[in-house]
Amino acid sequence: MSRFDYHQPESLSEAVELAARFGAEGRFLAGGTDLVVQIQRGRVAPRHVIALCRVPGLADIEVNGEVNGRITLGAGVTHRAIERTPGFAGALGCLIEGAEVIGGAQVRNVGTVGGNLVNAS
């Protein structure tokens, strides 16, 4: 496994600033289900890993169907969180069904919506 500097920004603006500073030498880490495997297989070798675990709001889910029909999922929302969100029952049950088929239970506990989108998983 490659060696890298590990950063834990505490705001979105700090995370974006680190990403801009490190460019292609940096990678974001949320759940890690894709990034860790890519590092172990030698597909990527970041010099800087920017962990998003301390950035507030990234794991938030908002379901405002009754007010304006809006659903907001933060990039750090896990598949397990989607499975357990009562507001997704009924008409939005497809979100729960989709989350249930992502990997095993361990992967759903840490794998994130943002990670799957970024990695086209």
Side-chain angles (χ1 to χ4, degrees), residues 7-16 18 50-58:
H7 308 270
Q8 287 186 309
E10 296 189 8
S11 70
L12 188 56
S13 61
E14 185 182 355
V16 170
L18 288 170
I50 306 163
L52 300 175
C53 56
R54 293 187 179 173
V55 177
L58 292 184

Side-chain angles (χ1 to χ4, degrees), residues 33-59:
T33 58
D34 287 324
L35 180 61
V36 172
V37 171
Q38 290 177 16
I39 291 172
Q40 288 175 335
R41 292 183 179 168
R43 291 186 182 151
V44 297
R47 299 221 28 224
H48 300 274
V49 171
I50 306 163
L52 300 175
C53 56
R54 293 187 179 173
V55 177
L58 292 184

Side-chain angles (χ1 to χ4, degrees), residues 18-87:
L18 288 170
R21 183 178 347 148
F22 301 137
E25 292 185 336
R27 291 280 197 270
F28 286 120
L29 172 70
T33 58
D34 287 324
L35 180 61
V36 172
V37 171
Q38 290 177 16
I39 291 172
Q40 288 175 335
R41 292 183 179 168
R43 291 186 182 151
V44 297
R47 299 221 28 224
H48 300 274
V49 171
I50 306 163
L52 300 175
C53 56
R54 293 187 179 173
V55 177
L58 292 184
D60 291 353
I61 297 175
E62 290 182 32
V63 181
N64 296 318
E66 296 163 7
V67 177
N68 59 15
R70 178 190 290 181
I71 299 168
T72 304
L73 296 176
V77 169
T78 65
H79 304 293
R80 177 68 74 214
I82 292 171
E83 287 180 279
R84 294 184 173 172
T85 300

